[in-house]
Amino acid sequence: MSELVPGGNVPLPGGVVTVRVPGPFDVSGLVTDDGGRVRDDGDFVFYNQPEAPGARLTGDTLRVDPARLRPGATRVTVAVSPAEPGTSLSRLPSPTLHVSGADGRPLARFTPPRPGPESVLLLAEIYRRGDRWKLRALGQGYADGLAGLARDFGVDVVDDEPAPAPGAVHRAAGAAAGAPPVPRAAPASPPRRPAHPAPPPLPPRPAAAVPSASSFGADGPLVPDGYLDRVNAARAAAGSPPVTADARLVAAARAHAAAMAAAGRLGVESRDGVSVYQRVTAAAYPYLTIGEHLVSGPRTPAEFLAHCLGGRASRRTLEDPAVTHAGLACCGDGPSGEVYWTALWARPFTPDGLARTAAEVVDLTNRRRVRAGLRPVAPDPHLTAAAQAHSADMVARDFYSHTSPDGGRPWDRAAAAGSARRSIGENIACGQRSPAEVVEGWMNSPGHRANILGPGFTHIGIGFAGGGRAGTYWTQLFGA
């Protein structure tokens, strides 16, 4: 999987491409021609118009089938805006774009620099180059919201929409409720679609059918009776060792489930900007491996477990042989009455475990170098200290960059750690769950690959830290 930077691009396989932006954001898509202009009203895909030929928006996910786009369309630009009207992006976590192919395999990820006062951000564009399709990371913001975005794409903005009748979906309320004006294409715009009525409330359920967070993990057992038995039976069938319940993971899961219920929204980060990973470390569980299930809808532990075992990716998290501990909590006390679940799977940090993780990254890096006809790089204690300090610093000070908040650069950190290497190169990454995943991601990115295959480099240091917004932070520091 490629970790993209602004301007970076990645080729796309054939078939449907899925882009997802989890968190407190609304996702939009603009279908344009080579000139970057929409043709008519139907080229704008957003929450009140979720479909166009070849593009469909479902929640936080936009699915694009390039072969089915309208005639003349050569580009789909993906934008995000805050789900809450009147909010600037600076008050929210940086949005992360996840890109996957038709088979569900992750292709790329892009987290732009933290936005400022902008209220709309162009994240990426899917575009045709010859007979192939590619994705390019953007990161361009608009301080004047959807109106500014619309003007750049040849869209007229109508902001005189009357307030909807009671019962309409809040985000369809238009300017009368403080939401951004709804973009309209000119000149031939059909009448605007009416706001969709709110769905009827769920029928009441017996209280016993909805577990509360206190029914396990607080006053009762850490996890529901029989839950871990069924989990460990599935793990055993996959050849993975059993897991045990951990009170710290349960506490973190309980806090995150309650935060999601209060906001009425699933997400790795809750509305206060705290990620589930930050809750784990705040509960005094430093980790080397982390996995999570964030789910809404199931009413019992058995239904939740069936959901986790029902999908390939979610089952892989549950069966991960690297994890040793688990925590589970749910909360149905939010305004919607929906039950929100958080399951955490982790392996604790140990110095020996960190050393093995770093050694595996070095080994995988050297395999790529040898395959390219290059000499392996040797571990260097000074580079290792600098790399580890940078990963820990990114978690502690909540940033993701080669330049630290005080202006330090890779060569500065290497020198401060006692390194006398004359040439320094650095790769960083966040969010990858294993050495294999992070090295693969670096190799799929031209700039990172150039460092790994740098013929002049002779030594290496690896850093890893768990926590922060992304969950895992990796640093690879080369020297010569």
Side-chain angles (χ1 to χ4, degrees):
M1 183 178 66
S2 296
E3 287 286 345
L4 298 177
V5 298
N9 63 75
V10 62
L12 298 174
V16 176
V17 177
T18 299
V19 295
R20 183 174 67 91
V21 187
F25 308 103
D26 283 326
V27 180
S28 304
L30 289 133
V31 181
T32 62
D33 55 22
D34 282 331
R37 309 289 287 182
V38 298
R39 184 178 65 177
D40 57 34
D41 190 74
D43 280 348
F44 195 87
V45 179
F46 66 117
Y47 48 74
N48 218 30
Q49 183 171 274
E51 290 188 60
R56 179 180 179 84
L57 178 65
T58 306
D60 62 5
T61 301
L62 179 66
R63 291 176 173 83
V64 178
D65 186 349
R68 297 184 58 202
L69 293 173
R70 66 157 173 86
T74 58
R75 186 175 305 174
V76 178
T77 303
V78 182
V80 295
S81 54
E84 288 296 325
T87 302
S88 72
L89 289 168
S90 63
R91 296 175 57 189
L92 304 175
S94 291
T96 296
L97 180 80
H98 300 263
V99 186
S100 56
D103 59 358
R105 182 173 63 89
L107 301 174
R109 178 165 47 198
F110 172 54
T111 302
R114 192 74 178 268
E118 296 92 345
S119 53
V120 174
L121 190 68
L122 300 187
L123 276 185
E125 60 181 2
I126 298 168
Y127 64 100
R128 189 173 67 195
R129 178 62 55 87
D131 60 351
R132 301 293 302 274
W133 287 83
K134 306 179 76 173
L135 180 138
R136 178 185 292 115
L138 298 175
Q140 176 186 353
Y142 287 82
D144 49 351
L146 287 180
L149 175 68
R151 295 186 190 99
D152 271 11
F153 283 83
V155 179
D156 280 348
V157 176
V158 177
D159 58 5
D160 56 353
E161 179 79 0
V169 174
H170 172 68
R171 285 182 296 177
V182 179
R184 298 283 303 278
S189 299
R192 184 174 292 148
R193 299 184 181 187
H196 299 292
L202 292 172
R205 299 250 189 159
V210 183
S212 68
S214 61
S215 65
F216 51 88
D219 304 322
L222 288 181
V223 294
D225 291 340
Y227 174 78
L228 280 186
D229 291 339
R230 291 190 290 271
V231 165
N232 285 327
R235 289 176 61 84
S240 300
V243 293
T244 58
D246 186 280
R248 296 164 295 177
L249 294 180
V250 172
R254 187 187 310 125
H256 199 71
M260 291 192 298
R265 174 187 293 272
L266 289 171
V268 168
E269 289 189 18
S270 52
R271 187 165 288 174
D272 58 5
V274 180
S275 77
V276 67
Y277 317 115
Q278 290 168 314
R279 298 188 196 281
V280 173
T281 54
Y285 190 105
Y287 58 82
L288 279 172
T289 303
I290 191 73
E292 73 282 341
H293 289 108
L294 308 177
V295 179
S296 66
R299 313 292 285 192
T300 67
E303 289 181 13
F304 171 76
L305 184 58
H307 172 87
C308 294
L309 292 172
R312 183 175 58 180
S314 60
R315 189 181 189 104
R316 187 165 57 243
T317 298
L318 185 147
E319 295 174 347
D320 185 353
V323 304
T324 58
H325 294 113
L328 173 69
C330 68
C331 184
D333 298 334
S336 70
E338 191 83 357
V339 182
Y340 286 81
W341 297 80
T342 300
L344 295 169
W345 315 89
R347 175 165 61 106
F349 174 92
T350 63
D352 287 347
L354 176 62
R356 287 192 296 270
T357 297
E360 188 172 349
V361 174
V362 172
D363 178 62
L364 291 168
T365 298
N366 279 330
R367 292 186 191 184
R368 299 296 186 130
R369 289 179 63 86
V370 170
R371 193 182 304 171
L374 301 170
R375 296 181 62 180
V377 287
D380 179 282
H382 300 300
L383 297 178
T384 298
Q388 183 60 33
H390 189 54
S391 287
D393 192 31
M394 287 191 287
V395 170
R397 292 201 276 179
D398 191 21
F399 73 98
Y400 177 65
S401 174
H402 293 287
T403 303
S404 59
D406 54 12
R409 305 296 297 274
W411 39 91
D412 302 320
R413 294 189 287 270
S419 174
R421 302 291 169 189
R422 294 171 298 174
S423 179
I424 295 292
E426 182 180 82
N427 289 340
I428 60 174
C430 66
Q432 293 81 4
R433 302 304 173 90
S434 69
E437 186 180 346
V438 73
V439 172
E440 183 69 20
W442 281 328
M443 286 298 295
N444 288 335
S445 170
H448 299 89
R449 179 187 178 95
N451 275 340
I452 289 177
L453 301 183
F457 289 133
T458 57
H459 290 79
I460 190 174
I462 302 298
F464 169 87
R469 295 172 184 268
T472 58
Y473 291 78
W474 305 79
T475 302
Q476 190 180 45
L477 198 59
F478 295 92

